[in-house]
Amino acid sequence: MRVGLLGAGQLAGMLADAGIALGMTHTLLSPVPDSCAAPRGDFVCGDFDDVQALARLTDGVDVVTYEFENVPLAAVEWCADRVPVRPSAAALRVAQDRLSEKRFFQHLGIPVPAYTAVNSLDELHQAVNRHGVPAVLKTRTFGYDGKGQVVVRDTAPQSLSVAWDTIGRVPAILEELVSFQRELSVIAVRAIDGSQAFYPLNENWHREGILRLTVGRAGDPRQGLAEEYARRLLADLDYVGTLALELFEVNGRLLANELAPRVHNSGHWTIEGATTSQFENHMRAICGLPLGPTGQPRPAAMVNLVGSVPDREFVRRIPGAVLHAYGKSESPGRKVGHITLVGDEDEQDRFMARIACALRHAGEAGIADAIDPGGADTPDRVAEAAPPD
């Protein structure tokens, strides 16, 4: 089969790698000439609203999918008039607007943090008076990795005016700042025939709005509830493909934060850590193939590399670590790669030390200290603690 990919960044690259292993070929479309996934297939450099570029993308493909939720809805609908697009435009429509997304969750009986729509500075004043502070002001569209949002910490008119200016004076929502115990995500996949599978729950750590660490939590007590919420989304949207639901755990409850109608950063550990990766199962789902098993045989985690890639030899010396460099130029705040780590079932303490080691050398000492206080900070020390080959 030939798959068309809207986007040619790292997620498209990992999807294409999974597809190539399944015997698939690909056409990729991106407006960025040096897109890192461009070598994985026939690359079309063009804007997503360029009809000629879209025609080249859809020519000869069996199905189209997308790597991120900010692709123009009109482009997806144009493609869907010509070839199957999976997931459908319906999922994209919900995920592109935070207000629609919150209302959709509520429609399905999925709890969310308290929020209010805000369309003007006056409405922001009213919403702050209703919710109190601290609260988070988020643009309704084009928000990811902490972009398009600002924390409101006081009710002074000048502070609210600055917050309104910061998000660009565009339609937004004001949401309570949730005091959570854990940030979680569940990754689900649904096939054309309606069969479903779920990966073990992910526990996530963010800094500056960007995911820095994910640990797969097989057997987590919140797995069943997270799966139930994901099932509701999959069924209502008649979803086909991989989907991620981001959640806050608050006193045993799960509150929905965001829906990602695509493969997700918190699922990167599945490449080495799950029986079938989220990328392979997405390609299986959209192409009508049976889903692969989603079990987590061993402890697994992912450390995001933001801004720069650490020394490859250093990473190689961390037992169970695999470096995935995306081939992107290094820049502050930019995701340029990730490290997956797998461990042994009976070596949880050593495994956490390895994660902390990778974190410290990815510039995430604060998170490393939180999960492994006073732990190892060099691969040699981690290797010494590792079981013999």
Side-chain angles (χ1 to χ4, degrees):
M1 294 188 73
R2 175 168 284 271
V3 178
L5 287 159
L6 284 161
Q10 67 264 19
L11 295 180
M14 288 181 269
L15 285 169
D17 286 343
I20 291 168
L22 292 169
M24 299 170 187
T25 57
H26 309 86
T27 303
L28 305 94
L29 170 63
S30 172
V32 181
D34 60 348
S35 294
C36 62
R40 266 75 161 203
D42 294 330
F43 180 61
V44 179
C45 186
D47 292 331
F48 294 120
D49 58 1
D50 181 338
V51 172
Q52 290 186 338
L54 290 171
R56 291 174 62 193
L57 172 72
T58 55
D59 183 30
V61 304
D62 299 288
V63 63
V64 166
T65 192
Y66 43 87
E67 70 161 346
F68 67 114
E69 58 267 44
N70 286 329
V71 62
L73 186 62
V76 173
E77 293 173 334
W78 191 94
C79 293
D81 286 338
R82 290 152 180 85
V83 296
V85 175
R86 302 175 183 131
S88 70
L92 199 64
R93 190 176 295 110
V94 169
Q96 284 188 343
D97 185 322
R98 284 189 169 113
L99 180 58
S100 297
E101 185 178 57
K102 288 287 191 291
R103 289 172 174 170
F104 182 62
F105 289 147
Q106 291 177 306
H107 167 70
L108 296 177
I110 301 173
V112 298
Y115 70 94
T116 298
V118 172
N119 295 299
S120 68
L121 182 57
D122 286 342
E123 289 187 4
L124 176 57
H125 281 270
Q126 296 169 22
V128 166
N129 289 335
R130 184 180 307 116
H131 287 283
V133 292
V136 187
L137 183 64
K138 302 179 177 180
T139 59
R140 284 177 54 175
T141 59
F142 296 107
Y144 64 97
D145 288 346
K147 297 178 175 64
Q149 58 183 272
V150 61
V151 177
V152 179
R153 299 193 181 278
D154 67 73
T155 60
Q158 179 61 29
S159 296
L160 297 184
S161 181
V162 169
W164 186 238
D165 288 341
T166 299
I167 67 161
R169 296 175 167 263
V170 296
I173 62 171
L174 185 76
E175 182 179 303
E176 69 169 316
L177 188 63
V178 176
S179 179
F180 55 83
Q181 283 76 54
R182 294 190 298 168
E183 290 182 274
L184 304 170
S185 60
V186 60
I187 294 177
V189 59
R190 183 173 181 270
I192 293 173
D193 65 3
S195 58
Q196 302 172 15
F198 302 87
Y199 287 90
L201 205 57
N202 306 306
E203 184 172 357
N204 305 318
W205 286 259
H206 290 76
R207 185 170 65 81
E208 297 177 343
I210 301 176
L211 181 66
R212 308 293 173 149
L213 168 67
T214 290
V215 178
R217 296 298 192 191
D220 192 279
R222 300 289 170 258
Q223 180 77 33
L225 182 57
E227 285 189 16
E228 171 56 29
Y229 291 161
R231 286 181 195 278
R232 297 178 194 179
L233 298 171
L234 295 172
D236 194 275
L237 293 169
D238 194 20
Y239 195 89
V240 176
T242 297
L243 167 152
L245 174 61
E246 299 178 22
L247 301 154
F248 298 122
E249 181 182 10
V250 183
N251 300 323
R253 301 175 66 222
L254 295 182
L255 304 181
N257 179 30
E258 290 184 356
L259 161 68
R262 53 172 172 82
V263 290
H264 194 256
N265 204 175
S266 67
H268 289 357
W269 65 265
T270 66
I271 299 174
E272 277 80 28
T275 308
T276 310
S277 77
Q278 64 164 343
F279 301 99
E280 179 179 337
N281 260 337
H282 183 83
M283 300 302 276
R284 285 180 167 276
I286 67 171
C287 293
L289 299 175
L291 300 181
T294 54
Q296 179 188 344
R298 298 184 291 169
M302 183 278 301
V303 172
N304 240 349
L305 302 177
V306 181
S308 62
V309 177
D311 180 74
R312 291 172 184 266
E313 176 60 21
F314 183 97
V315 175
R316 190 190 67 80
R317 285 159 51 200
I318 301 175
V322 178
L323 173 64
H324 295 259
Y326 302 151
K328 297 162 68 174
S329 60
E330 297 184 350
S331 177
R334 191 180 199 193
K335 295 175 184 174
V336 294
H338 70 266
I339 300 168
T340 56
L341 300 105
V342 293
D344 298 311
E345 190 63 39
D346 59 349
E347 299 290 345
Q348 188 63 33
D349 289 344
R350 289 190 179 106
F351 183 58
M352 296 307 291
R354 296 170 197 169
I355 295 173
C357 178
L359 283 166
R360 289 188 177 96
H361 290 274
E364 303 297 338
I367 298 175
D369 290 342
I371 68 167
D372 185 44
D377 58 1
T378 69
D380 288 338
R381 290 177 61 190
V382 174
E384 287 170 7
D389 293 335

